[in-house]
Amino acid sequence: MKADELREAFLTFFETKGCVRRPSDVLVPRWDPSVLFTPAGMNQFKDHFLGKCKLDFTRATTCQKCLRTGDIDNVGRTARHHTFFEMLGNFSFGDYFKREAIHWAWEFLTSDKWLKIAPERLTISVYEDDSEAYTIWSDEIGIPSTRITRMGEDDNFWPASAPSQGPDGVCGPCSEIFYTMENGSEVEIWNLVFTQFNRVGDPPDNLRPLPSRNIDTGMGLERTCALLQGVDSNFHIDILKPLVEAVAEVCGRPYEAETDDGRRMRRIADHLRACTFAIHENVMPGNNEEKYVVKRLLRRAVLDGHQLGLREPFLYQLPPAVAEIMRSPYPELAETSERVSSVIQREESAFLDTIDGGLARIETLFESIESAGSGLVSGQDAAELYTTHGFPPELLETLAAERNCAFDWQGFQEAMDAHGLRSGAGTRVELFTSGPLDALKKAMHGSEFVGYDATEASGKAVGIIAQDRLCETLDEIDHHEPVIVVLDRTPFYGEAGGQVGDTGWLLGAGDDSLRFEVTDTLREGDFILHRGHLREGQLALGEPLTAKVDTARRSALRRAHSATHLVHAALQHFLGPHAVQQGSKVDTDLLRFDFSHGGSIGSAVLEQIEDMVNANVFAALPVSAQRLPLADARHAGAMMLFGEKYPDIVRMVSMGSDDERVSRELCGGTHVSNTGEIGLVRIVGEESVSAGTRRVTAVTGFESLRRMRRAEQTLSEAASSLKVPTHDLPTRLTTLTKELKELRKGKGGAAAAGVSPDELLAAAVTVGDTRLVVASLSSGDAGSMRQCIDQLRRKGSPIAVLLGGCDGGKVTLVAGISRELEERGLSASTWINEAAPLVGGKGGGRKDLAQAGGKDPDKLGDALEAAKAAMQLLLTAS
Ligand code: ATP
Ligand code: MG
């Protein structure tokens, strides 16, 4: 049975048991601050299990993308651990329980209609005190007692009362199903968790039965495939073997399962697959949290490649293979694999740049540890390897472990702290937080948002939260801190999808003595939270209110948001489909849009982008929004942002007509109804935010107007201070800067040489009507000398000038004479050759200007003397 078939069979089987088939949640649940990556199928149902939300169904089944780093050192070594893997699950929220869960698991695994696994290959574990489960397995299913093991809390209770999780909370026994492999070893394939208790306080007698009991199960797709396909390792199943072989091919050598190299290839395949899925959801390798995990996995794979002899980036060639192998369950991977590849390639190159230095450093480090006999990698060394060679500490720890060295984590953290750095190492623990909203969540779905078409609506106060507590009433004098009001329905947009929240007023319906000023609107789950201050009157729960959004501000937000979609479309048009949104901020007539792109965008292309956006504005295209099933939106070609968690029913915003569609995105934001409303769009900035991500900033509507006005004002102020009409500014400025430059050069010429033209003139000798200037300057810069001569000639004629100077061991001489002297038959080039030979050189040039170089600085004085004498002679003679 192929993996694709197993996935489908599992989901179909549980559908026949009344479970609703739900899509996999994202791999990176940004909505859940307690985990970095989805660790199990149950994660998306946390609120369901805790009774925190209203249930549309009480039985569900999924195939969930999971990523765990806890088993990372096992990856490649054991036959059954991955970082990224898929977990098949069935779930009950206060519906079916232990008996059904066990019977159905058994039926699916062993019945002829489904997996047909030989029952004698399966063994069972149950929690030691769970006689109920034991009896179901032994008496109802008929498993011989020799194949049922009772285990303790560590193995068969979830969650075990780990200190990090605190002893209290929802928990229950579990029962695991193991498969006996050819070689006799047992592999856990399925874990059934029976959440039936609330744990309060210390044992014994601290388990209180829950009124509503849940089922949470997880079956490993890869492990089950391995046994169905009769292969000895997860890595040899149909969706992993081709990837391992692709790795082998890139490495240019065959895959041999039993060797060290084989292990490395499996690890590369695993880490690459995990990173492909994570980067697909826009997690870029970085220095904290999930970004750090991606960096760490990639670097480990690069190191494995390095140890296989690869010195150039190679991992980046593999994401298309992942997309191809996984195309049936995850067709969206193909759409991003090019971008994923380029992100990986950049990270690979970055690490490869420092890896050799790092490995050399590690080698000497281990040598010194060995000779000192300390057996410990110090935190200081680890921090240095991380910060200067980019070696993730976990990677170093693994290398250290291979040499039987321990790793000083605490010292590492201290060293990093001392540098003011953060490694991102270590992950968040699971925790279920509860706040004042939880009570509300039990009572209702959320607030109804009615603000797409209206900016004013009546609603009822259903929640008042002050100082983190739910209140019945609120008094104007009560609070200086902002308080939160929740309405059953509201036109206020809560900050989401990059669009900032609305501001405005909540007013007493019919009686204007109640005024609550909303300074900000937020969103939590499906609730819209109006944050602000009660300015007048008293507010009580249940009170009917009129909610009025600040309409001018809202219009500015609409303009900016719609412009964002046009900018996105234009970027994709001119830069390519890889230029997808990475983040955005929509503010009043101001938008900031981050997207994937390698280099900077030239001003010509930026102008084309701006033109296209504005052409779509001037075309005054209709904008429409439609709610429809996700699959239909996909079909309609809506642009989707990966890593976003889309509900089943999505809102699709389209711009343009059916024949001329310019943009179609899934978006919950507020928009103009016609692009013409946006007004002029100006792109005012283009910059890099991080490797591979660029940002454009643009303004719309009044902000464009304001900026233009300000620019014109600045221009006219400049024009009036220069006393020219505005359109003459550029020419005037060019002349001015030229003059300034000449002035500076003038100064630069003689001044740089330590004298001013006037000083030189003052020291001139006069022969007849001609002034003769022969001087040595402090620099040998020929350019300055020529300029200086020009200045002197302009100051009066006839004049003959010869300047000399030294730079290092070189002498420069420049001579110039004015036109009258030229007419009298004198020549600068003849003159300079009176002096040049004395400094070991030879001169040349024209009659009016000549130059010579020499290599004997000591003789400069003599040369100048000779020149002066020669000219005096000539002048008296002529
Ligand atoms: P093990 O003890 O074998 O590492 P686990 O107890 O951590 O597994 P559970 O948390 O019970 O696993 O997850 C449910 C199922 O998911 C397991 O029975 C197994 O089939 C699968 N699974 C768990 N972790 C991994 C992993 N790292 N790689 C592949 N499959 C896994
Ligand atoms: Mg388990």
Side-chain angles (χ1 to χ4, degrees), residues 590-639:
L590 174 74
L591 65 99
R592 227 176 49 199
F593 187 78
D594 298 351
F595 56 99
S596 332
H597 187 63
S600 75
I601 308 168
S603 59
V605 177
L606 213 53
E607 210 165 271
Q608 284 179 302
I609 290 168
E610 195 180 58
D611 279 349
M612 179 169 177
V613 170
N614 284 294
N616 287 330
V617 170
F618 303 153
L621 304 167
V623 177
S624 64
Q626 187 190 351
R627 296 180 66 78
L628 73 176
L630 183 60
D632 295 354
R634 229 188 128 70
H635 206 69
M639 201 163 359

Short mmCIF file of all heavy atoms in Angstrom, two decimals, residues 590-639:
data_model
loop_
_atom_site.label_atom_id
_atom_site.label_comp_id
_atom_site.label_asym_id
_atom_site.label_seq_id
_atom_site.Cartn_x
_atom_site.Cartn_y
_atom_site.Cartn_z
N LEU A 590 -1.05 54.65 3.84
CA LEU A 590 0.36 54.27 3.85
C LEU A 590 0.45 52.76 3.87
O LEU A 590 -0.24 52.11 4.66
CB LEU A 590 1.02 54.84 5.10
CG LEU A 590 2.47 54.43 5.32
CD1 LEU A 590 3.39 55.15 4.34
CD2 LEU A 590 2.91 54.74 6.74
N LEU A 591 1.27 52.20 3.02
CA LEU A 591 1.41 50.75 3.05
C LEU A 591 2.87 50.35 2.95
O LEU A 591 3.69 51.02 2.34
CB LEU A 591 0.61 50.11 1.91
CG LEU A 591 1.06 50.41 0.48
CD1 LEU A 591 1.90 49.27 -0.06
CD2 LEU A 591 -0.16 50.61 -0.39
N ARG A 592 3.13 49.26 3.63
CA ARG A 592 4.47 48.70 3.60
C ARG A 592 4.28 47.26 3.18
O ARG A 592 3.47 46.55 3.73
CB ARG A 592 5.03 48.72 5.02
CG ARG A 592 6.39 49.25 5.15
CD ARG A 592 6.76 49.31 6.59
NE ARG A 592 6.45 48.06 7.25
CZ ARG A 592 6.32 47.94 8.56
NH1 ARG A 592 6.45 48.96 9.34
NH2 ARG A 592 6.05 46.76 9.10
N PHE A 593 4.99 46.84 2.17
CA PHE A 593 4.74 45.51 1.63
C PHE A 593 6.05 44.76 1.50
O PHE A 593 6.95 45.19 0.78
CB PHE A 593 4.04 45.65 0.27
CG PHE A 593 3.58 44.35 -0.30
CD1 PHE A 593 2.43 43.75 0.18
CD2 PHE A 593 4.29 43.73 -1.30
CE1 PHE A 593 1.99 42.54 -0.34
CE2 PHE A 593 3.86 42.52 -1.83
CZ PHE A 593 2.71 41.93 -1.35
N ASP A 594 6.17 43.65 2.21
CA ASP A 594 7.39 42.83 2.14
C ASP A 594 7.14 41.62 1.26
O ASP A 594 6.10 40.99 1.36
CB ASP A 594 7.79 42.35 3.53
CG ASP A 594 8.11 43.49 4.47
OD1 ASP A 594 8.19 44.63 3.98
OD2 ASP A 594 8.28 43.25 5.67
N PHE A 595 8.10 41.31 0.42
CA PHE A 595 7.90 40.19 -0.50
C PHE A 595 9.24 39.53 -0.80
O PHE A 595 10.31 40.12 -0.58
CB PHE A 595 7.25 40.69 -1.80
CG PHE A 595 8.04 41.80 -2.45
CD1 PHE A 595 8.90 41.53 -3.50
CD2 PHE A 595 7.96 43.10 -1.97
CE1 PHE A 595 9.65 42.54 -4.08
CE2 PHE A 595 8.71 44.11 -2.55
CZ PHE A 595 9.55 43.83 -3.60
N SER A 596 9.15 38.31 -1.30
CA SER A 596 10.39 37.58 -1.60
C SER A 596 10.98 38.06 -2.91
O SER A 596 10.30 38.05 -3.92
CB SER A 596 10.12 36.08 -1.75
OG SER A 596 9.03 35.70 -1.00
N HIS A 597 12.20 38.47 -2.86
CA HIS A 597 12.92 38.82 -4.08
C HIS A 597 14.39 38.97 -3.74
O HIS A 597 14.72 39.47 -2.68
CB HIS A 597 12.37 40.13 -4.66
CG HIS A 597 12.96 40.46 -6.00
ND1 HIS A 597 12.79 39.66 -7.11
CD2 HIS A 597 13.72 41.51 -6.40
CE1 HIS A 597 13.43 40.20 -8.14
NE2 HIS A 597 14.00 41.32 -7.74
N GLY A 598 15.22 38.53 -4.67
CA GLY A 598 16.65 38.52 -4.40
C GLY A 598 17.28 39.90 -4.32
O GLY A 598 17.60 40.39 -3.25
N GLY A 599 17.41 40.56 -5.45
CA GLY A 599 18.18 41.80 -5.47
C GLY A 599 17.31 43.04 -5.38
O GLY A 599 16.10 42.95 -5.21
N SER A 600 17.95 44.19 -5.47
CA SER A 600 17.17 45.41 -5.42
C SER A 600 16.50 45.64 -6.78
O SER A 600 16.89 45.08 -7.79
CB SER A 600 18.06 46.60 -5.08
OG SER A 600 18.82 46.94 -6.21
N ILE A 601 15.45 46.43 -6.77
CA ILE A 601 14.70 46.67 -8.00
C ILE A 601 15.16 48.01 -8.56
O ILE A 601 15.11 49.01 -7.86
CB ILE A 601 13.19 46.73 -7.70
CG1 ILE A 601 12.78 45.49 -6.92
CG2 ILE A 601 12.39 46.87 -8.97
CD1 ILE A 601 11.39 45.59 -6.34
N GLY A 602 15.60 48.02 -9.80
CA GLY A 602 16.09 49.26 -10.38
C GLY A 602 14.98 50.29 -10.49
O GLY A 602 13.79 49.95 -10.49
N SER A 603 15.39 51.56 -10.60
CA SER A 603 14.37 52.61 -10.59
C SER A 603 13.48 52.54 -11.82
O SER A 603 12.30 52.88 -11.77
CB SER A 603 15.03 53.98 -10.48
OG SER A 603 15.90 54.15 -11.56
N ALA A 604 14.02 52.02 -12.94
CA ALA A 604 13.19 51.93 -14.14
C ALA A 604 12.05 50.94 -13.93
O ALA A 604 10.89 51.20 -14.27
CB ALA A 604 14.05 51.51 -15.33
N VAL A 605 12.38 49.78 -13.35
CA VAL A 605 11.35 48.77 -13.11
C VAL A 605 10.36 49.25 -12.06
O VAL A 605 9.15 49.06 -12.17
CB VAL A 605 12.00 47.44 -12.67
CG1 VAL A 605 10.93 46.40 -12.35
CG2 VAL A 605 12.93 46.92 -13.75
N LEU A 606 10.90 49.93 -11.07
CA LEU A 606 10.03 50.45 -10.01
C LEU A 606 9.01 51.43 -10.60
O LEU A 606 7.84 51.45 -10.22
CB LEU A 606 10.90 51.16 -8.97
CG LEU A 606 10.43 51.09 -7.52
CD1 LEU A 606 10.18 49.66 -7.08
CD2 LEU A 606 11.47 51.73 -6.61
N GLU A 607 9.48 52.19 -11.57
CA GLU A 607 8.59 53.14 -12.23
C GLU A 607 7.51 52.40 -13.02
O GLU A 607 6.34 52.77 -13.00
CB GLU A 607 9.41 54.02 -13.17
CG GLU A 607 8.84 55.42 -13.32
CD GLU A 607 9.89 56.33 -13.95
OE1 GLU A 607 10.68 56.94 -13.20
OE2 GLU A 607 9.89 56.41 -15.19
N GLN A 608 7.92 51.33 -13.67
CA GLN A 608 6.94 50.53 -14.43
C GLN A 608 5.90 49.95 -13.49
O GLN A 608 4.70 49.91 -13.80
CB GLN A 608 7.64 49.37 -15.15
CG GLN A 608 8.39 49.80 -16.39
CD GLN A 608 9.07 48.60 -17.02
OE1 GLN A 608 9.88 47.92 -16.39
NE2 GLN A 608 8.75 48.32 -18.27
N ILE A 609 6.36 49.50 -12.33
CA ILE A 609 5.43 48.94 -11.34
C ILE A 609 4.46 50.01 -10.88
O ILE A 609 3.24 49.80 -10.84
CB ILE A 609 6.23 48.36 -10.15
CG1 ILE A 609 6.98 47.10 -10.59
CG2 ILE A 609 5.33 48.06 -8.96
CD1 ILE A 609 8.02 46.60 -9.63
N GLU A 610 5.00 51.18 -10.60
CA GLU A 610 4.15 52.28 -10.14
C GLU A 610 3.15 52.67 -11.24
O GLU A 610 1.98 52.92 -10.97
CB GLU A 610 5.04 53.47 -9.78
CG GLU A 610 4.35 54.54 -8.98
CD GLU A 610 5.31 55.69 -8.67
OE1 GLU A 610 5.86 56.28 -9.63
OE2 GLU A 610 5.51 55.98 -7.49
N ASP A 611 3.62 52.67 -12.49
CA ASP A 611 2.73 52.99 -13.61
C ASP A 611 1.59 51.99 -13.71
O ASP A 611 0.44 52.36 -13.91
CB ASP A 611 3.50 52.98 -14.94
CG ASP A 611 4.26 54.29 -15.14
OD1 ASP A 611 4.01 55.23 -14.36
OD2 ASP A 611 5.11 54.35 -16.05
N MET A 612 1.94 50.71 -13.56
CA MET A 612 0.91 49.69 -13.71
C MET A 612 -0.13 49.83 -12.59
O MET A 612 -1.34 49.73 -12.83
CB MET A 612 1.54 48.30 -13.66
CG MET A 612 0.53 47.19 -13.77
SD MET A 612 1.38 45.62 -14.02
CE MET A 612 -0.03 44.52 -14.03
N VAL A 613 0.34 50.06 -11.38
CA VAL A 613 -0.59 50.24 -10.26
C VAL A 613 -1.52 51.41 -10.55
O VAL A 613 -2.75 51.29 -10.43
CB VAL A 613 0.19 50.47 -8.94
CG1 VAL A 613 -0.76 50.89 -7.82
CG2 VAL A 613 0.97 49.23 -8.54
N ASN A 614 -0.95 52.51 -10.99
CA ASN A 614 -1.78 53.68 -11.22
C ASN A 614 -2.70 53.52 -12.43
O ASN A 614 -3.82 54.03 -12.43
CB ASN A 614 -0.93 54.94 -11.33
CG ASN A 614 -0.46 55.38 -9.95
OD1 ASN A 614 -1.28 55.78 -9.12
ND2 ASN A 614 0.83 55.27 -9.68
N ALA A 615 -2.22 52.77 -13.44
CA ALA A 615 -3.10 52.52 -14.58
C ALA A 615 -4.34 51.78 -14.09
O ALA A 615 -5.47 52.05 -14.52
CB ALA A 615 -2.37 51.71 -15.64
N ASN A 616 -4.13 50.84 -13.17
CA ASN A 616 -5.27 50.10 -12.62
C ASN A 616 -6.14 50.96 -11.72
O ASN A 616 -7.31 50.65 -11.50
CB ASN A 616 -4.79 48.85 -11.88
CG ASN A 616 -4.32 47.77 -12.84
OD1 ASN A 616 -4.82 47.69 -13.97
ND2 ASN A 616 -3.35 46.97 -12.43
N VAL A 617 -5.56 51.99 -11.17
CA VAL A 617 -6.37 52.94 -10.38
C VAL A 617 -7.18 53.82 -11.33
O VAL A 617 -8.39 53.96 -11.19
CB VAL A 617 -5.46 53.81 -9.48
CG1 VAL A 617 -6.26 54.95 -8.86
CG2 VAL A 617 -4.81 52.96 -8.39
N PHE A 618 -6.50 54.36 -12.34
CA PHE A 618 -7.18 55.28 -13.26
C PHE A 618 -8.28 54.57 -14.05
O PHE A 618 -9.24 55.18 -14.50
CB PHE A 618 -6.18 55.92 -14.24
CG PHE A 618 -5.06 56.65 -13.54
CD1 PHE A 618 -3.81 56.80 -14.16
CD2 PHE A 618 -5.24 57.18 -12.26
CE1 PHE A 618 -2.78 57.46 -13.51
CE2 PHE A 618 -4.20 57.84 -11.61
CZ PHE A 618 -2.97 57.97 -12.24
N ALA A 619 -8.11 53.24 -14.21
CA ALA A 619 -9.13 52.50 -14.95
C ALA A 619 -10.41 52.35 -14.14
O ALA A 619 -11.42 51.86 -14.65
CB ALA A 619 -8.59 51.13 -15.34
N ALA A 620 -10.38 52.80 -12.87
CA ALA A 620 -11.55 52.75 -12.00
C ALA A 620 -12.25 51.39 -12.10
O ALA A 620 -13.40 51.28 -12.51
CB ALA A 620 -12.52 53.88 -12.34
N LEU A 621 -11.50 50.35 -11.68
CA LEU A 621 -12.01 48.99 -11.80
C LEU A 621 -12.90 48.64 -10.60
O LEU A 621 -12.63 49.06 -9.48
CB LEU A 621 -10.84 48.01 -11.85
CG LEU A 621 -9.83 48.28 -12.96
CD1 LEU A 621 -8.56 47.45 -12.73
CD2 LEU A 621 -10.45 47.97 -14.30
N PRO A 622 -13.91 47.83 -10.83
CA PRO A 622 -14.75 47.43 -9.71
C PRO A 622 -13.99 46.49 -8.76
O PRO A 622 -13.14 45.71 -9.21
CB PRO A 622 -15.90 46.68 -10.38
CG PRO A 622 -15.37 46.24 -11.70
CD PRO A 622 -14.37 47.29 -12.12
N VAL A 623 -14.26 46.60 -7.48
CA VAL A 623 -13.66 45.71 -6.48
C VAL A 623 -14.80 44.94 -5.84
O VAL A 623 -15.79 45.54 -5.43
CB VAL A 623 -12.90 46.52 -5.40
CG1 VAL A 623 -12.33 45.59 -4.34
CG2 VAL A 623 -11.80 47.35 -6.04
N SER A 624 -14.66 43.63 -5.79
CA SER A 624 -15.74 42.87 -5.18
C SER A 624 -15.19 41.83 -4.22
O SER A 624 -14.04 41.41 -4.33
CB SER A 624 -16.57 42.18 -6.25
OG SER A 624 -15.76 41.24 -6.91
N ALA A 625 -15.98 41.48 -3.23
CA ALA A 625 -15.57 40.47 -2.27
C ALA A 625 -16.64 39.40 -2.24
O ALA A 625 -17.82 39.69 -2.38
CB ALA A 625 -15.40 41.09 -0.90
N GLN A 626 -16.18 38.17 -2.06
CA GLN A 626 -17.09 37.05 -2.16
C GLN A 626 -16.66 36.00 -1.15
O GLN A 626 -15.48 35.77 -0.97
CB GLN A 626 -16.94 36.52 -3.59
CG GLN A 626 -17.88 35.46 -4.02
CD GLN A 626 -17.41 34.89 -5.38
OE1 GLN A 626 -16.51 35.43 -6.03
NE2 GLN A 626 -18.03 33.80 -5.77
N ARG A 627 -17.62 35.37 -0.49
CA ARG A 627 -17.28 34.29 0.44
C ARG A 627 -17.54 32.98 -0.28
O ARG A 627 -18.59 32.80 -0.90
CB ARG A 627 -18.11 34.38 1.71
CG ARG A 627 -17.81 35.67 2.49
CD ARG A 627 -18.65 35.74 3.74
NE ARG A 627 -18.27 34.69 4.67
CZ ARG A 627 -17.20 34.74 5.46
NH1 ARG A 627 -16.43 35.81 5.44
NH2 ARG A 627 -16.91 33.76 6.27
N LEU A 628 -16.59 32.08 -0.20
CA LEU A 628 -16.74 30.82 -0.92
C LEU A 628 -15.83 29.75 -0.31
O LEU A 628 -14.92 30.08 0.45
CB LEU A 628 -16.46 31.01 -2.41
CG LEU A 628 -15.02 31.22 -2.89
CD1 LEU A 628 -14.99 31.29 -4.40
CD2 LEU A 628 -14.40 32.48 -2.32
N PRO A 629 -16.06 28.49 -0.63
CA PRO A 629 -15.19 27.45 -0.08
C PRO A 629 -13.75 27.61 -0.57
O PRO A 629 -13.53 28.03 -1.72
CB PRO A 629 -15.79 26.15 -0.62
CG PRO A 629 -17.20 26.49 -0.97
CD PRO A 629 -17.19 27.94 -1.37
N LEU A 630 -12.82 27.28 0.30
CA LEU A 630 -11.40 27.43 0.00
C LEU A 630 -11.03 26.78 -1.34
O LEU A 630 -10.32 27.36 -2.15
CB LEU A 630 -10.59 26.78 1.14
CG LEU A 630 -9.08 26.89 1.06
CD1 LEU A 630 -8.65 28.34 1.06
CD2 LEU A 630 -8.43 26.16 2.24
N ALA A 631 -11.55 25.58 -1.55
CA ALA A 631 -11.19 24.86 -2.78
C ALA A 631 -11.66 25.64 -4.01
O ALA A 631 -10.95 25.71 -5.01
CB ALA A 631 -11.82 23.47 -2.76
N ASP A 632 -12.84 26.25 -3.91
CA ASP A 632 -13.35 27.02 -5.05
C ASP A 632 -12.48 28.24 -5.31
O ASP A 632 -12.20 28.60 -6.45
CB ASP A 632 -14.80 27.49 -4.79
CG ASP A 632 -15.76 26.31 -4.70
OD1 ASP A 632 -15.30 25.17 -4.95
OD2 ASP A 632 -16.94 26.53 -4.37
N ALA A 633 -12.03 28.86 -4.23
CA ALA A 633 -11.20 30.06 -4.37
C ALA A 633 -9.89 29.69 -5.05
O ALA A 633 -9.40 30.38 -5.94
CB ALA A 633 -10.93 30.68 -3.00
N ARG A 634 -9.35 28.57 -4.65
CA ARG A 634 -8.12 28.05 -5.24
C ARG A 634 -8.31 27.86 -6.73
O ARG A 634 -7.49 28.23 -7.54
CB ARG A 634 -7.87 26.68 -4.62
CG ARG A 634 -6.50 26.47 -4.12
CD ARG A 634 -6.35 25.02 -3.73
NE ARG A 634 -5.19 24.52 -4.39
CZ ARG A 634 -3.97 24.88 -4.05
NH1 ARG A 634 -3.77 25.70 -3.05
NH2 ARG A 634 -2.92 24.42 -4.71
N HIS A 635 -9.46 27.26 -7.04
CA HIS A 635 -9.81 26.98 -8.41
C HIS A 635 -9.95 28.28 -9.21
O HIS A 635 -9.60 28.35 -10.38
CB HIS A 635 -11.13 26.21 -8.43
CG HIS A 635 -11.27 25.37 -9.64
ND1 HIS A 635 -10.48 24.26 -9.87
CD2 HIS A 635 -12.08 25.48 -10.71
CE1 HIS A 635 -10.81 23.74 -11.02
NE2 HIS A 635 -11.78 24.46 -11.56
N ALA A 636 -10.49 29.29 -8.55
CA ALA A 636 -10.71 30.57 -9.23
C ALA A 636 -9.40 31.33 -9.39
O ALA A 636 -9.38 32.45 -9.90
CB ALA A 636 -11.72 31.40 -8.44
N GLY A 637 -8.30 30.75 -8.91
CA GLY A 637 -7.00 31.37 -9.12
C GLY A 637 -6.65 32.44 -8.11
O GLY A 637 -5.81 33.31 -8.37
N ALA A 638 -7.27 32.39 -6.93
CA ALA A 638 -6.95 33.40 -5.93
C ALA A 638 -5.54 33.19 -5.42
O ALA A 638 -5.09 32.07 -5.23
CB ALA A 638 -7.94 33.31 -4.77
N MET A 639 -4.85 34.28 -5.22
CA MET A 639 -3.51 34.23 -4.67
C MET A 639 -3.63 33.91 -3.19
O MET A 639 -4.41 34.53 -2.48
CB MET A 639 -2.86 35.58 -4.85
CG MET A 639 -1.40 35.48 -4.78
SD MET A 639 -0.46 36.84 -5.43
CE MET A 639 -1.43 38.08 -6.07
#
